[in-house]
């Protein structure tokens, strides 16, 4: 945002490292929270009578701490590993922010081996969360399909499908960004894929979750009407 305001594309080395750290930290924490949300929906639909005991304030605090902690550890590992590599191919990042794959392209070819350990850790963590989410939804859909009421099924699906859509979008685009072969890589494709996994999920989250609340819709429309009336009176 600062570069856009001051019409510049320059960033300091320390600023680039900080940007990588916070980006990986937030992405990792968000993915962990999406995993926690899958568990929340599983308990709410499959074990509703035990919801208060399984997801009390203590359990929620522990899941939040685990999400922030895993995000911090993942970000520290990748940031330290990435910025310890020597840059042999200039200092121009071909992206709208400091992204790890673009920085690795500037490093020496033999330096990629040092990133393998961090990638294995991140892949293992992400794959474990993905398997947990999928297993949760298998149980959820089995429970929903056994519901005798079509209204109950619709309510359960409307609660789960937005979350599942965000998870699918985030996982698929992140895998395409980080695991696609170099032969199909291009600046325009890299830009589109990065926008999809870094910008689109945070933008659609309020629309998919908050805007489904009827009371919030009423408040938003009321505020918009007030703003329109004030503008007309002004």
């Amino acid at each position: 945002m600062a570069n856009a305001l001051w019409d510049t594309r320059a960033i300091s080395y320390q600023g680039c490292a900080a940007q990588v750290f916070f980006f990986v930290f937030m992405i990792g924490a968000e993915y962990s929270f999406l995993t926690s949300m899958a568990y929340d929906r599983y308990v709410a639909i499959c074990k509703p009578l035990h919801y208060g005991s399984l997801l009390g304030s203590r359990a929620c605090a522990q899941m939040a701490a685990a999400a922030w902690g895993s995000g911090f550890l993942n970000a520290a590992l990748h940031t330290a590993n990435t910025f310890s590599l020597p840059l042999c191919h200039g200092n121009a990042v071909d992206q709208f922010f400091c992204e790890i794959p673009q920085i690795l392209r500037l490093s020496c070819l033999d330096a990629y081996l040092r990133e393998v350990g961090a990638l294995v850790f991140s892949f293992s963590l992400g794959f474990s969360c993905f398997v947990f989410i999928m297993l949760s939804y298998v149980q959820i859909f089995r429970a929903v399909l056994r519901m005798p009421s079509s209204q109950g099924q619709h309510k359960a699906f409307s609660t789960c499908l937005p979350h599942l859509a965000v998870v699918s979008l985030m996982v698929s685009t992140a895998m395409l960004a980080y695991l696609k072969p170099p032969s199909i890589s291009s600046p325009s494709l890299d830009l589109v894929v990065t926008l999809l996994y870094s910008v689109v999920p945070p933008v659609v989250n309020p629309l998919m979750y908050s805007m489904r609340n009827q009371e919030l819709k009423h408040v938003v429309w009321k505020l918009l009407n007030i703003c329109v009336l004030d503008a007309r009176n002004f």
Side-chain angles (χ1 to χ4, degrees):
M1 288 188 292
N3 287 348
L5 291 173
W6 279 278
D7 194 22
T8 177
R9 298 187 64 184
I11 188 171
S12 66
Y13 188 82
Q14 294 78 9
C16 186
Q19 194 175 69
V20 167
F21 174 82
F22 282 109
F23 179 77
V24 178
F25 174 49
M26 294 299 178
I27 287 289
E30 180 183 6
Y31 190 50
S32 298
F33 278 120
L34 289 173
T35 306
S36 301
M37 292 170 66
Y39 179 67
D40 171 80
R41 280 151 176 75
Y42 163 75
V43 175
I45 294 175
C46 299
K47 299 182 178 180
L49 298 179
H50 300 281
Y51 187 87
S53 59
L54 293 176
L55 283 173
S57 58
R58 183 176 180 180
C60 291
Q62 290 175 344
M63 288 192 294
W68 291 118
S70 61
F72 180 86
L73 179 62
N74 193 33
L77 178 64
H78 277 288
T79 304
N81 210 42
T82 301
F83 287 91
S84 65
L85 303 177
L87 302 181
C88 306
H89 304 288
N91 60 352
V93 179
D94 192 17
Q95 192 55 269
F96 65 92
F97 71 102
C98 289
E99 189 185 27
I100 291 179
Q102 300 298 330
I103 298 174
L104 292 178
R105 291 180 182 179
L106 303 178
S107 65
C108 304
L109 292 177
D110 58 350
Y112 278 99
L113 296 176
R114 298 175 59 181
E115 182 69 7
V116 172
L119 289 175
V120 169
F121 172 77
S122 297
F123 179 80
S124 301
L125 183 63
F127 185 73
S128 300
C129 293
F130 180 76
V131 170
F132 182 84
I133 292 173
M134 291 299 101
L135 291 177
S136 298
Y137 272 103
V138 168
Q139 297 298 322
I140 288 172
F141 288 142
R142 289 178 59 185
V144 170
L145 293 176
R146 290 197 299 263
M147 290 181 178
S149 170
S150 59
Q151 184 178 0
Q153 291 181 349
H154 176 75
K155 184 178 180 180
F157 278 124
S158 66
T159 302
C160 296
L161 291 181
H163 172 258
L164 194 58
V166 173
V167 172
S168 302
L169 178 64
M170 183 177 178
V171 171
S172 60
T173 52
M175 289 180 62
L176 181 61
Y178 286 91
L179 300 180
K180 69 179 184 295
S183 58
I184 65 171
S185 179
S186 66
S188 57
L189 178 62
D190 292 343
L191 179 62
V192 171
V193 171
T194 303
L195 280 171
L196 283 176
Y197 87 87
S198 64
V199 177
V200 174
V203 169
V204 300
N205 273 342
L207 298 177
M208 287 188 170
Y209 299 130
S210 300
M211 294 305 292
R212 291 175 60 252
N213 188 295
Q214 295 296 328
E215 294 181 1
L216 183 59
K217 288 181 182 180
H218 177 72
V219 172
V220 170
W221 280 113
K222 187 175 181 180
L223 290 174
L224 288 175
N225 290 331
I226 292 175
C227 292
V228 171
L229 291 176
D230 291 342
R232 289 177 178 177
N233 293 332
F234 180 77

